[in-house]
Amino acid sequence: MSNPKKVSALARLSEITATPHPTTPTPAPPSEGIVRYTAEVPKHLHRSLKLFALDHETSTYAVTKVLFSLLADDGEVRSKVSEALRRG
């Protein structure tokens, strides 16, 4: 007998991964190139990112792009990040 919860979770994951990525709030200028960014992330933070993306029916890629854009464009976010870095 199959587990209906597992099937629905797989169906949800399939639906989410088929969802197109939202556009970034601040698109890169056409002359600006694309850079691949790779990071090693502690498991608990990766899990948190994955769950956030699943809860918002998007991808971790889309969430990360928005976070980068907020850091670049939002002074309040920059201040909070600077403060967190100072605290260590």
Side-chain angles (χ1 to χ4, degrees):
M1 179 178 240
S2 67
N3 182 346
K5 185 175 181 181
K6 187 172 185 177
V7 171
S8 66
L10 289 174
R12 182 173 179 216
L13 179 61
S14 176
E15 180 183 314
I16 290 168
T17 55
T19 303
H21 300 301
T23 58
T24 53
T26 54
S31 62
E32 188 174 353
I34 299 293
V35 177
R36 179 172 298 276
Y37 179 80
T38 305
E40 293 180 7
V41 181
K43 280 187 176 186
H44 76 279
L45 292 177
H46 183 257
R47 179 177 169 76
S48 177
L49 175 63
K50 285 284 206 182
L51 291 173
F52 183 90
L54 282 169
D55 288 344
H56 291 84
E57 298 183 352
T58 191
S59 67
T60 57
Y61 169 77
V63 174
T64 304
K65 282 180 69 176
V66 169
L67 289 171
F68 284 150
S69 293
L70 286 171
L71 184 59
D73 299 337
D74 189 318
E76 187 176 339
V77 171
R78 274 195 306 276
S79 294
K80 285 182 179 183
V81 171
S82 292
E83 184 181 317
L85 289 170
R86 278 192 296 276
R87 287 188 307 236

